[in-house]
Amino acid sequence: MNIYVANVPYSVKDQDLHELFSPFGEVTSAKIIMDKATNRSRGFGFVEMANDEAGRAAIEGTNGKNFHGRDLVVNEARPRTEGDRGGFGGGGGRGFGGGGGDRGGYRGGDRGGDRGGSRGGDRGGDRGDRGGYRRDEY
């Protein structure tokens, strides 16, 4: 069973995690996750127990336990999905593509509206004018 251990003090090493979990059963591996850029602990890790029964006992025995001054958060690790690779990039939140509206600033060219444009009115909904220079305002 793979166990996720969070809120781990930054001073804790792999061996400390191994020693914490070994009273509950055979620990196959214990790993503190390190930041690749700074080579410092990221404050969480994973412990692999030889069997599920020992894993469940370890979760119950360590979750909420004060360890080196911090209360651990311990639960069964969820399997990584294809998108869970951390780092930068990835999806949402920005929505590039489609509209965006006029954010002001100088915009040459014809944007429709009442200046004889072919698009027929304001772009996409009731955004109104957000100011800025326009070619026909000087």
Side-chain angles (χ1 to χ4, degrees):
M1 169 183 273
N2 201 12
I3 300 169
Y4 171 71
V5 186
N7 205 31
V8 176
Y10 297 113
S11 61
V12 169
K13 305 289 180 224
D14 295 352
Q15 185 60 35
D16 300 322
L17 212 53
H18 191 284
E19 289 169 6
L20 175 68
F21 281 82
S22 59
F24 300 99
E26 184 188 341
V27 175
T28 357
S29 70
K31 183 89 178 126
I32 295 291
I33 303 304
M34 305 299 276
D35 185 285
K36 289 178 183 167
T38 63
N39 205 31
R40 293 175 59 190
S41 166
R42 292 190 55 199
F44 69 95
F46 294 92
V47 175
E48 182 80 36
M49 300 293 287
N51 64 59
D52 289 356
E53 192 176 307
R56 279 189 271 286
I59 290 169
E60 283 194 30
T62 57
N63 189 30
K65 179 180 180 177
N66 189 299
F67 184 61
H68 292 245
R70 295 183 80 172
D71 294 339
L72 297 176
V73 177
V74 183
N75 24 98
E76 186 172 352
R78 292 189 298 257
R80 284 178 113 178
T81 59
E82 198 51 45
D84 291 345
R85 293 295 180 255
F88 299 96
R94 267 295 185 290
F96 293 105
D102 178 19
R103 296 264 189 318
Y106 176 74
R107 285 244 214 216
D110 188 60
R111 288 192 346 214
D114 61 350
R115 294 188 315 275
S118 60
R119 279 186 226 147
D122 196 10
R123 278 201 272 173
D126 185 18
R127 290 194 178 105
D129 183 19
R130 296 207 170 101
Y133 291 103
R134 280 180 150 148
R135 197 165 58 162
D136 58 351
E137 288 179 347
Y138 2 34

